[in-house]
Amino acid sequence: MRPVWAGEPPPDLSPAFLAGTGFGGEVGEVLQLPGTPVTVLLGVGPRARMDRDAIRAAAAALARAVRAYRRLAIHPPGPDLRTLVEGYLLGGYRFTRYRSDAGTPPDQLVELLTTETPDTARALFEGRRLAEAVLLARDLVNEPGEALTPPAFADQAAAVAAATGLECEVWDGRRIADERLGGLLGVSRGSLVPPRLVRLAYHPENCTEETERTGRIALVGKGVTFDAGGLSLKPNAHLAGMKADMAGAAAVLGAMSVLGALDCRVAVDAWLPLTENMPNADPIRVGDVLVMRNGTTVEICHADAEGRLIMADALVLAGETGPRAIIDIATLTDAAAVALGRRVAALMGTDDALVNRLRAAGARAGEPLWPLPLPEAYRPQIRSRIADLVNYTLGTRHGTALLAGHFLREFVPPGIPWAHLDIQGTALSEGTDGEWVPGATGFGVRALAEFLTGLPHPPS
């Protein structure tokens, strides 16, 4: 197909003309040529190196460049329409809920000039749904902490579950106490807002109960809706991004929301522990000892190392269901961000096959994950003199991301493969970078969805 030109002839797009404009076709480079209709040239880089990342970044740049246009006709640069749609929708995202001058964004009609087939229709559908799942996570992370409290997050999760066919169960403070979730209860003591724990379940079609049980994957997402540091109060400069300390839970919710649309073939459970970490009411003190769900005792050496406490309880709950594997995701340590920067998340685990499969899924999804070790020699550093474990190793700044990984590992039952994603550096973006815009990135949604939908149906 070709666009219908009206009013003026098509512009000269010869190599000589383009050379005169300075347009080099680099990834994300945009050149707008006046006329009726306007022609927009989009760079996707050398054809030999045009991969998913290039298409995604280029489509995102196009979305930002043509935001003012109400109707577009796009010649896809390649056959990967799913990635094109995904990048376009992610790149055009803006969080304007609290902008008084934002108004209602006008509708934009986008036509892809390609042959319509069942495969192309499916690609467009999947790209849109996957992008919507990421935008769901971004919206949650961008919400102010006063608006997205633990109960409010739980309500959002219940609404998403109802809309996408997920099973949902919400535990209030009394149920959390009855279930002996000492870490979640301990952290929540400092907040005037009660905690919640959300359990979600995805059941694939045409799957027997026995097949579900043997093939189930469990996800755990950290959900600290605002982290002031508890009694180990953060300095003001460090508080600005602390509404994003629930980005792990948001990523899990986003990934769960799209499993049905992507025809995921394995059953998935998700556990979202939700709380604030505040210095109000009766906060945990340094030196206190908490008893976790599995009976492990933890000495509090730093009240701002709270994420691993609530994750520990959720990991125990996940392990009790006997899943094939457990994957957790959390904004856990600044050390991970220092080591890997703002574009790559840390990946640790006890099973090489699981770690490698996650890393490959992240690469395909445009969310790179880099494996870090869990040396056995470091394990004694999380032992306590008065309890079983410490939640933070005092006196060292070295290897703290790995020590946090070791702490979480203590709460995974032996024999169950486990992986941990530390997204501290990747949850927020300070500027525009490919499909990222300033604010929440929704990192983890695509990697988890890619991993889960790539798993084969478990044998019956």
Side-chain angles (χ1 to χ4, degrees):
M1 297 177 63
R2 289 287 184 268
V4 177
W5 297 91
E8 297 182 15
D12 177 13
L13 301 181
S14 65
F17 171 79
L18 293 178
T21 68
F23 180 77
E26 297 299 319
V27 175
E29 186 179 0
V30 176
L31 174 65
Q32 299 190 40
L33 302 176
T36 306
V38 173
T39 299
V40 181
L41 303 184
L42 175 66
V44 293
R47 182 174 295 276
R49 297 201 299 269
M50 189 178 65
D51 56 14
R52 287 183 175 184
D53 290 341
I55 293 173
R56 195 180 288 112
L62 176 65
R64 292 187 286 268
V66 300
R67 182 174 282 134
Y69 299 139
R70 303 279 63 84
R71 184 170 182 176
L72 303 170
I74 299 176
H75 284 284
D80 192 350
L81 300 182
R82 171 174 155 170
T83 302
L84 178 72
V85 172
E86 175 191 321
Y88 189 90
L89 293 176
L90 295 181
Y93 170 82
R94 292 187 296 175
F95 186 74
T96 60
R97 183 168 301 161
Y98 297 96
R99 292 286 300 271
S100 59
D101 60 347
T104 302
D107 292 333
Q108 186 180 64
L109 176 63
V110 179
E111 298 176 83
L112 290 180
L113 303 178
T114 186
T115 303
E116 186 174 349
T117 68
D119 288 342
T120 60
R122 183 65 188 177
L124 299 181
F125 171 77
E126 291 184 351
R128 177 173 62 83
R129 290 301 304 272
L130 188 58
E132 289 171 350
V134 177
L135 301 187
L136 165 64
R138 288 185 182 180
D139 280 347
L140 290 169
V141 175
N142 281 328
E143 277 288 342
E146 67 172 356
L148 194 73
T149 60
F153 193 122
D155 289 344
Q156 290 264 26
V160 169
T164 58
L166 299 173
E167 180 184 317
C168 180
E169 186 179 0
V170 178
W171 296 1
D172 61 11
R174 177 173 295 182
R175 175 72 183 275
I176 290 169
D178 290 342
E179 298 289 347
R180 309 182 314 282
L181 306 188
L184 183 54
L185 282 175
V187 175
S188 70
R189 277 168 37 188
S191 175
L192 300 177
V193 180
R196 294 288 186 268
L197 184 129
V198 175
R199 175 186 171 272
L200 300 168
Y202 165 75
H203 303 286
E205 294 184 0
N206 303 320
C207 191
T208 67
E209 183 177 344
E210 176 64 16
T211 301
E212 278 203 21
R213 187 186 63 79
T214 57
R216 179 186 295 111
I217 303 293
L219 305 179
V220 175
K222 175 186 171 186
V224 178
T225 59
F226 192 84
D227 179 16
L231 281 183
S232 302
L233 190 64
K234 294 178 184 289
N236 188 67
H238 294 176
L239 289 173
M242 287 302 103
K243 67 179 184 179
D245 212 19
M246 35 58 68
V252 170
L253 179 59
M256 292 292 290
S257 75
V258 78
L259 295 183
L262 299 182
D263 294 333
C264 179
R265 293 167 288 185
V266 297
V268 185
D269 285 342
W271 304 86
L272 310 180
L274 306 172
T275 186
E276 294 179 331
N277 186 30
M278 304 290 277
N280 302 313
D282 178 30
I284 51 175
R285 295 166 287 272
V286 172
D288 285 354
V289 174
L290 301 181
V291 182
M292 317 304 282
R293 175 175 171 84
N294 66 349
T296 300
T297 56
V298 178
E299 179 189 2
I300 304 303
C301 292
H302 201 308
D304 196 23
E306 85 297 332
R308 64 201 71 182
L309 297 173
I310 69 172
M311 296 283 283
D313 281 329
L315 286 169
V316 173
L317 286 168
E320 290 173 354
T321 66
R324 180 170 29 152
I326 300 175
I327 302 166
D328 77 67
I329 178 169
T331 48
L332 207 63
T333 67
D334 287 332
V338 171
L340 298 175
R342 293 293 185 184
R343 260 293 183 173
V344 182
L347 171 62
M348 304 168 219
T350 57
D351 184 86
D352 288 343
L354 176 61
V355 167
N356 291 337
R357 196 157 196 162
L358 276 166
R359 187 181 181 190
R364 293 193 302 271
E367 295 185 330
L369 309 171
W370 192 259
L372 297 181
L374 287 173
E376 285 298 320
Y378 290 10
R379 203 168 182 180
Q381 296 184 54
I382 64 171
R383 299 300 177 191
S384 167
R385 293 177 181 174
I386 67 168
D388 298 327
L389 304 174
V390 294
N391 78 319
Y392 187 83
T393 304
L394 297 173
T396 183
R397 297 182 296 110
H398 303 126
T400 53
L402 311 186
L403 295 177
H406 266 301
F407 182 91
L408 295 179
R409 179 184 179 182
E410 293 289 323
F411 297 91
V412 179
I416 297 180
W418 161 76
H420 162 59
L421 280 63
D422 191 334
I423 60 169
Q424 179 67 27
T426 58
L428 293 175
S429 175
E430 297 177 353
T432 300
D433 181 11
E435 73 275 23
W436 287 6
V437 297
T441 64
F443 191 100
V445 173
R446 289 178 288 160
L448 291 175
E450 183 75 20
F451 169 80
L452 293 167
T453 57
L455 293 176
H457 198 294
S460 55

